Amino acid sequence: MTTTPTPAARVPGPRAIETAARRRRLLEAASELAAEGGYDAVQMRDVAAKAEVALGTLYRHYSSKDQLLVAALAAQASELQRRLALRPPRGATPADRVTDVLRRACRALEREPHATAAMVTALSSPDPDAAAAKFEVYATLRTIIADAIDGHDTGDISEFDGVLRVLGHVWLSTLSAWVGGMLSGPEMTADLTAAAHLLLDGRA
Amino acid sequence: MTTTPTPAARVPGPRAIETAARRRRLLEAASELAAEGGYDAVQMRDVAAKAEVALGTLYRHYSSKDQLLVAALAAQASELQRRLALRPPRGATPADRVTDVLRRACRALEREPHATAAMVTALSSPDPDAAAAKFEVYATLRTIIADAIDGHDTGDISEFDGVLRVLGHVWLSTLSAWVGGMLSGPEMTADLTAAAHLLLDGRA
DNA sequence: GCCAAAGCTGCAACACGTTCTACCTTTCGG
DNA sequence: CCGAAAGGTAGAACGTGTTGCAGCTTTGGC
């Protein structure tokens, strides 16, 4: 009796653990394939095989390719947020801090261009199955910008709501343009920096 | 000799006329199918059939579905520009005129939601074949905004280059979000209006 | 005139996202 | 303990974008 045989029935149970592990493997497989060859290289049969899961199971968890990729992006955005909490953006003014965050984020994304392209492609697909995951990504991105605007003190962020929304749009659009080859990396950064200064300089 | 038999060899020739007519029919067919059922309803076999053209011919002119749809969008953007030249935007300040233009454009787009969805979907696809047509659309949109900023007089637009780029990004991103169901029509207009005022009020 | 190139046609074929079927195993409320 | 529900597997099958092919006609330079 020293090693409680069935501890409390509140532990997940082996089946649930297996299921969670499968989901994790699926996201990992998708990310790896995306990093290697971009959107087209993420083929559902390959993802399933790489995660050692049946194709039907993949579709049970992620009901479309775009949903899968957006979920992977959401996970990555969360991790970016976590890293930013550890090393907060530097800069005296809101505009400087926002610029710093966006620049860092872009550098990280440019380091894995294929993966970024795949995930941004999925993010800008109109697939309604992916809507929930897209909301999550949007929310995370806006939180990241909001945290940069108020340098971890402050209160009245609500005043910046419009700025926040506009900056979010510019971020997504520049990313999308970069992925589509319409904008180079430096141009993307330049547009983002310009937007941050236009929207934030001379305000609060 | 009164009716010059072969006028000057500078006239297009019957073959070229036929070819041009085929291209026009293809764009029309694509637009109609898009208006009826959106992106998925634009099926290449159906477009070819509706335009009374072989599938291979469709691909000779437009090397992908996305390129075809972006070309249709480019044509529509040109027409919007023409209509705007006839009825210039109203408003005393640049921000007011830009808001007026964007509001009008959005209303036009919301009137054909399926067609808009199809074309915006194609526009935000990363298809490199469509890059040239995408550039054309981007350029037209920026010209439209630029014309609204300077009320058909003025000179130094270059000073507004950053504003122009940022507004273009916001326009595309809100459209994309609207198509993806992440933003309602009024929300889209609100974000655009907010951006115009944030970027233009208190400047020149 | 003649011939290569360009442009078309009709149709077969392929690839990959997605769906469906048939069947098995584990979990859990009664 | 039982039976239904949930979650899995293997694999066939379907739809649609895209490509390839064989042959036809028109065009334009020589």
Side-chain angles (χ1 to χ4, degrees):
Chain A
M1 288 287 187
T2 53
T3 61
T4 56
T6 54
R10 209 68 315 162
V11 289
R15 186 69 180 285
I17 291 179
E18 257 310 296
T19 299
R22 261 186 285 263
R23 284 183 77 102
R24 193 170 25 73
R25 288 206 306 274
L26 285 169
L27 284 188
E28 264 171 33
S31 295
E32 283 172 28
L33 290 172
E36 287 164 23
Y39 189 81
D40 290 342
V42 181
Q43 305 201 353
M44 299 303 265
R45 291 168 175 84
D46 292 349
V47 173
K50 190 160 195 163
E52 292 177 300
V53 144
L55 187 57
T57 304
L58 167 51
Y59 274 96
R60 175 183 302 279
H61 289 291
Y62 302 100
S63 57
S64 76
K65 172 173 173 171
D66 289 325
Q67 187 186 348
L68 171 68
L69 282 170
V70 176
L73 178 56
Q76 198 167 311
S78 285
E79 204 188 321
L80 170 63
Q81 192 177 19
R82 212 172 307 124
R83 273 203 303 273
L84 283 172
L86 296 183
R87 284 188 199 209
R90 312 180 127 280
T93 70
D96 286 341
R97 288 189 296 272
V98 168
T99 300
D100 187 49
V101 164
L102 294 176
R103 210 174 28 74
R104 276 206 252 168
C106 287
R107 249 188 311 130
L109 292 173
E110 287 177 61
R111 216 170 289 129
E112 292 281 13
H114 286 143
T116 304
M119 293 175 188
V120 170
T121 297
L123 187 67
S124 56
S125 93
D127 184 348
D129 287 338
K134 285 201 274 185
F135 257 126
E136 193 186 333
V137 173
Y138 287 12
T140 302
L141 297 191
R142 278 201 278 152
T143 303
I144 286 174
I145 300 178
D147 287 349
I149 289 182
D150 76 339
H152 54 66
D153 31 60
T154 307
D156 208 6
I157 260 296
S158 67
E159 169 195 358
F160 290 96
D161 190 59
V163 173
L164 218 58
R165 301 173 68 82
V166 172
L167 271 176
H169 285 306
V170 177
W171 195 357
L172 291 176
S173 181
T174 51
L175 264 180
S176 170
W178 176 64
V179 164
M182 317 296 296
L183 239 49
S184 71
E187 283 171 330
M188 171 171 64
T189 306
D191 279 9
L192 280 169
T193 305
H197 282 104
L198 285 169
L199 289 164
L200 286 167
D201 282 348
R203 225 176 299 265
Chain B
M1 288 288 187
T2 55
T3 60
T4 55
T6 51
R10 210 65 320 158
V11 289
R15 185 67 181 283
I17 291 179
E18 257 309 296
T19 298
R22 262 188 285 263
R23 284 183 76 101
R24 192 170 25 73
R25 288 205 307 274
L26 286 169
L27 283 188
E28 263 171 33
S31 295
E32 283 171 29
L33 289 172
E36 288 163 22
Y39 189 80
D40 290 342
V42 182
Q43 304 201 354
M44 299 303 266
R45 289 166 177 85
D46 293 350
V47 172
K50 190 159 196 164
E52 293 177 299
V53 144
L55 187 56
T57 305
L58 167 50
Y59 274 95
R60 173 182 304 279
H61 289 293
Y62 301 100
S63 58
S64 76
K65 171 172 173 173
D66 289 325
Q67 187 185 350
L68 170 68
L69 282 170
V70 176
L73 177 57
Q76 196 167 312
S78 285
E79 204 188 320
L80 170 63
Q81 192 178 18
R82 212 172 307 123
R83 275 203 302 273
L84 283 172
L86 296 182
R87 287 190 197 206
R90 311 179 127 280
T93 70
D96 286 341
R97 288 189 296 272
V98 168
T99 300
D100 188 50
V101 164
L102 294 176
R103 209 174 27 74
R104 276 206 252 168
C106 286
R107 249 189 311 130
L109 293 172
E110 287 177 62
R111 216 171 288 129
E112 292 281 12
H114 286 145
T116 305
M119 293 176 188
V120 170
T121 297
L123 186 66
S124 55
S125 93
D127 184 347
D129 287 337
K134 286 200 274 185
F135 257 127
E136 192 185 335
V137 173
Y138 287 13
T140 303
L141 297 190
R142 278 202 277 152
T143 303
I144 287 174
I145 300 178
D147 288 348
I149 289 182
D150 76 339
H152 53 66
D153 32 59
T154 304
D156 207 7
I157 259 297
S158 66
E159 169 196 359
F160 290 96
D161 189 59
V163 174
L164 220 57
R165 300 173 68 83
V166 172
L167 272 176
H169 285 306
V170 178
W171 195 357
L172 291 176
S173 180
T174 51
L175 263 179
S176 170
W178 175 64
V179 163
M182 317 295 297
L183 238 49
S184 70
E187 283 171 329
M188 171 171 62
T189 307
D191 279 8
L192 280 168
T193 305
H197 281 103
L198 285 170
L199 289 165
L200 286 167
D201 283 348
R203 225 175 300 266

